[in-house]
Amino acid sequence: MFKKDEENVVDIPINLSVDKLFEPVMQLKSTHKVSILLVEENISKTVEGLKEIYEITSSAKISNFLNENISFAIRAERIGSHEFTSLDVAKYAGQAIVDLTKKKFGTRSPVNLNHPAVIFDALVIDNKYYFALRISGEESLHRRGYRVYDHPAALKPTIAYGMLKIAELKDGETLLDPMCGGGTIVIEAVRNYRLRNVYCMDISPKHLKGAVMNAIASSVYSKINFILGDARKVDEYVKEYIDVIVTNPPYGIRMLRQKYLRTLYLDFLKSSRNILSSKGRIVVITSEYVLFKKEAEKLGYKIAYKRKVLHGDLEVEIIKIVPK
Ligand SMILES: C[S@@+](CC[C@H](N)C(=O)[O-])C[C@H]1O[C@@H](n2cnc3c(N)ncnc32)[C@H](O)[C@@H]1O
């Protein structure tokens, strides 16, 4: 299997059929797209690179997946600076497949950009070219189908699931998201774990109602306690020890928000200490790492883990803290 992120390239046995892979692939919870790498090579960043893309694509073994009646489309992406665009990449890779199928089958496989039977990924990252067969379909796997209420700052379910993994959430534990918005984190948790108790809290009645709607759409409503409340005094609402708090507080993009965020972080972290169990841990996604770390350390938490992640176009940090 092949993902853009080099660390996620996984070797699969060459004789495993694509049909057998489809089912496990569709179960992946923190992955957007999955493709089988057919060919990869270095290319030039100048216009010369386009001819190389044509040649490299022509060497891909595609006859198991295509014939003269099966339509295809190329989905191209380009990262880095090049003398050509992603449209050029798609054009040259597409032409290579057209010429290849014509040679192999006598008639070219039809191109269908809207509803292709087969999707190929043509990806250029700096001077590397990857040509791959998409096996997870057109839609990104982060679309789970339960989002009937679209929170304006909703987290991708894949990131929410990743945060639960970072929290090392286990069956039988208690979980709280005190700023739950549309409920993505708790919904992902209930869909994937058997938890003792789950709390979804937000200060906004509108967003909390949205979380209820999403939970109903995901058939997990009865497993979640919904609370209209203030994360700055979370200990006044939740009356049991919580093993894991995972949350996505508002981002401080506007200056006015910075002051509110400081008290929000401080008071949320202070009141959380009163309800955290002895094995308690908190995982937060924030664009304000420095501020969050300062407030957390002031209150006697230590940073147990952190990593950068892209939330849309925004580079943010996922941080795990535990009481010292
Ligand atoms: C970034 S959004 C969370 C989005 C959510 N993760 C989702 O996927 O839909 C932050 C949420 O924090 C809530 N919030 C802000 N201040 C709060 C407070 N003091 N107590 C509880 N919730 C608060 C906002 O109403 C908003 O819904």
Side-chain angles (χ1 to χ4, degrees):
M1 265 174 270
F2 166 71
K3 289 197 348 179
K4 234 193 298 180
D5 192 347
E6 287 267 326
E7 72 189 29
N8 286 318
V9 175
V10 178
D11 283 329
I12 51 160
I14 199 80
N15 55 356
L16 194 60
S17 89
V18 173
D19 302 353
K20 289 210 178 83
L21 278 174
F22 186 72
E23 217 185 301
V25 158
M26 296 317 269
Q27 309 297 321
L28 293 172
K29 302 292 186 323
S30 56
T31 303
H32 290 170
K33 289 173 190 167
V34 183
S35 305
I36 296 176
L37 184 61
L38 300 175
V39 59
E40 80 174 273
E41 266 186 59
N42 287 337
I43 57 162
S44 151
K45 290 177 159 189
T46 66
V47 281
E48 272 305 298
L50 291 172
K51 277 191 213 141
E52 292 162 349
I53 284 173
Y54 178 91
E55 294 302 331
I56 297 163
T57 311
S58 303
S59 72
K61 295 196 169 42
I62 46 103
S63 50
N64 287 349
F65 319 119
L66 282 184
N67 64 34
E68 67 275 29
N69 300 314
I70 297 180
S71 64
F72 79 95
I74 307 279
R75 302 296 181 223
E77 220 183 314
R78 192 186 54 79
I79 296 167
S81 58
H82 304 91
E83 283 180 14
F84 48 83
T85 66
S86 57
L87 280 180
D88 297 327
V89 175
K91 191 170 145 198
Y92 277 73
Q95 192 59 51
I97 297 298
V98 162
D99 294 347
L100 197 59
T101 53
K102 200 166 170 187
K103 206 156 97 191
K104 271 200 156 53
F105 312 121
T107 315
R108 51 177 274 182
S109 296
V111 174
N112 184 338
L113 293 181
N114 295 325
H115 304 288
V118 172
I119 300 166
F120 292 108
D121 287 299
L123 172 65
V124 175
I125 304 178
D126 298 324
N127 63 346
K128 268 271 183 208
Y129 173 60
Y130 304 91
F131 187 71
L133 172 76
R134 177 91 60 85
I135 53 172
S136 57
E138 193 80 83
E139 285 267 289
S140 168
L141 297 178
H142 81 268
R143 295 191 194 282
R144 311 278 209 248
Y146 58 69
R147 192 166 277 168
V148 288
Y149 173 71
D150 217 354
H151 187 287
L155 205 55
K156 280 202 171 87
T158 37
I159 295 182
Y161 181 77
M163 290 172 76
L164 298 169
K165 286 297 225 192
I166 289 169
E168 295 179 87
L169 183 64
K170 289 176 205 68
D171 289 350
E173 290 195 313
T174 49
L175 171 75
L176 161 70
D177 179 353
M179 291 168 264
C180 68
T184 318
I185 292 169
V186 291
I187 293 173
E188 283 300 307
V190 174
R191 283 163 68 100
N192 294 293
Y193 296 87
R194 290 181 179 181
L195 299 168
R196 197 164 78 246
N197 240 332
V198 178
Y199 296 91
C200 178
M201 181 166 122
D202 203 284
I203 203 164
S204 151
K206 181 179 166 207
H207 295 327
L208 196 70
K209 190 173 161 210
V212 167
M213 286 161 61
N214 287 339
I216 292 171
S218 182
S219 308
V220 296
Y221 169 70
S222 63
K223 302 213 168 101
I224 301 170
N225 301 288
F226 293 91
I227 305 172
L228 185 62
D230 188 340
R232 289 168 293 187
K233 34 192 180 174
V234 67
D235 52 346
E236 288 184 15
Y237 301 89
V238 177
K239 295 293 172 197
E240 74 169 313
Y241 283 112
I242 297 294
D243 299 313
V244 174
I245 296 178
V246 179
T247 198
N248 166 210
Y251 291 150
I253 298 163
R254 292 183 207 97
M255 280 310 282
L256 216 153
R257 278 237 170 140
Q258 289 280 332
K259 210 169 146 203
Y260 172 62
L261 276 194
R262 189 181 300 274
T263 55
L264 177 65
Y265 285 174
L266 187 70
D267 293 339
F268 150 62
L269 289 172
K270 206 190 274 179
S271 58
S272 293
R273 279 212 76 148
N274 298 332
I275 55 162
L276 265 191
S277 76
S278 54
K279 50 182 178 169
R281 54 261 185 221
I282 301 178
V283 172
V284 165
I285 185 166
T286 177
S287 57
E288 307 299 324
Y289 172 67
V290 178
L291 177 65
F292 184 84
K293 181 173 181 279
K294 197 169 132 203
E295 302 303 339
E297 286 176 343
K298 236 194 263 175
L299 290 165
Y301 291 95
K302 66 170 188 220
I303 311 283
Y305 177 86
K306 86 176 175 84
R307 69 161 289 169
K308 278 194 195 324
V309 60
L310 269 183
H311 184 203
D313 291 336
L314 198 63
E315 198 173 85
V316 294
E317 214 96 29
I318 295 178
I319 308 144
K320 178 179 178 178
I321 58 168
V322 292
K324 267 191 215 157

